[in-house]
Amino acid sequence: MRNISDPYVVVIGEKRMNKIVQPYRVAIVLLVLNVCISLFCAHSPEPVPSAYPGVEERVFRLVNDYRRDLALRPLLWNEIIAGECRKHSRRLSESDRWLGHDGFHERATVIRRWVRFSEAGENLASNSGKDDPALAAFIQWLESPTHRATMEGDFHITGIGVARSSSGHYYFTQIFIQPLYGRPGLDDFPDYRESNRSSASRDSDIR
């Protein structure tokens, strides 16, 4: 027996007519579903391929190895975050001048659509003429108290983007995220990966 307050039950006098569906309610539900699907598709981030996957991976390993040395949990990788980092590094390389953290709020807003977070941080670096540009960027961050504090922060997930200008300067962006609900599981975010792996350095190039 269903309660007469059930919207899918209509009571007429003493007679009960079960499961009489009100068409307008169905129409509203379908309309809402259609709008939600349209919004989801409209905001799905386009994949941003990496131009320097090996350099990005090298920075990722170096930062995680450093965190392990301090008994801090390693960071998990996320491609959405990495995509935003790659776009910013490309903007830096295309202008071939330092734009700093311009647009960080917009990058964080895009990431928030997919991962609700309580805190976000960003490290930037640039160098040229280095045999190991990833190591050079890492050392830059390590030698800067504020950048080192970000690397050591209470974050769970990250992404890294690397680009190179026509003049040969490498630009690095790394964003750190602390999800609102704590450490995510790998099953919840299938594009995350955890690594045991192991970045560098002109003081004038770090911001």
Side-chain angles (χ1 to χ4, degrees):
M1 298 291 292
R2 302 175 68 141
N3 190 293
I4 62 171
S5 64
D6 191 314
Y8 293 97
V9 174
V10 177
V11 175
I12 303 177
E14 297 295 323
K15 296 182 180 180
R16 181 185 295 258
M17 301 175 63
N18 294 313
K19 298 182 180 177
I20 298 179
V21 178
Q22 301 178 38
Y24 76 92
R25 292 182 182 274
V26 175
I28 290 174
V29 170
L30 292 175
L31 178 61
V32 170
L33 286 173
N34 185 55
V35 170
C36 290
I37 292 171
S38 298
L39 288 173
F40 178 83
C41 293
H43 291 96
S44 297
E46 290 292 327
V48 182
S50 173
Y52 298 93
V55 181
E56 292 176 358
E57 181 71 10
R58 172 88 167 126
V59 177
F60 180 64
R61 291 186 180 194
L62 287 167
V63 172
N64 265 352
D65 284 352
Y66 173 70
R67 288 174 64 90
R68 285 191 181 88
D69 289 343
L70 299 178
L72 299 172
R73 60 178 165 255
L75 299 166
L76 299 174
W77 180 274
N78 180 265
E79 270 297 311
I80 292 173
I81 300 173
E84 291 305 303
C85 294
R86 289 166 188 153
K87 287 190 283 187
H88 186 56
S89 290
R90 287 175 189 173
R91 281 192 291 269
L92 294 171
S93 70
E94 288 165 2
S95 66
D96 208 7
R97 63 188 179 86
W98 200 256
L99 301 176
H101 296 279
D102 290 356
F104 177 63
H105 177 74
E106 288 74 15
R107 291 189 287 282
T109 298
V110 172
I111 293 167
R112 194 186 293 274
R113 292 174 186 161
W114 304 97
V115 183
R116 296 188 65 192
F117 60 82
S118 58
E119 187 175 359
E122 180 178 79
N123 277 351
L124 305 175
S126 172
N127 61 68
S128 63
K130 304 293 184 181
D131 293 335
D132 189 343
L135 179 62
F138 173 75
I139 294 173
Q140 288 177 343
W141 293 335
L142 199 60
E143 293 179 346
S144 162
T146 55
H147 293 77
R148 186 172 64 248
T150 302
M151 285 199 297
E152 297 173 3
D154 185 22
F155 297 108
H156 277 140
I157 56 179
T158 193
I160 299 162
V162 179
R164 189 183 183 194
S165 71
S166 57
S167 66
H169 273 80
Y170 283 90
Y171 292 90
F172 298 79
T173 304
Q174 181 169 17
I175 293 177
F176 303 78
I177 294 291
Q178 170 58 19
L180 189 59
Y181 301 114
R183 186 175 178 83
L186 294 177
D187 292 338
D188 298 325
F189 299 95
D191 59 339
Y192 289 172
R193 56 191 168 89
E194 191 165 13
S195 171
N196 311 340
R197 331 164 196 183
S198 306
S199 323
S201 165
R202 291 200 326 223
D203 293 340
S204 61
D205 287 332
I206 189 166
R207 302 294 188 276

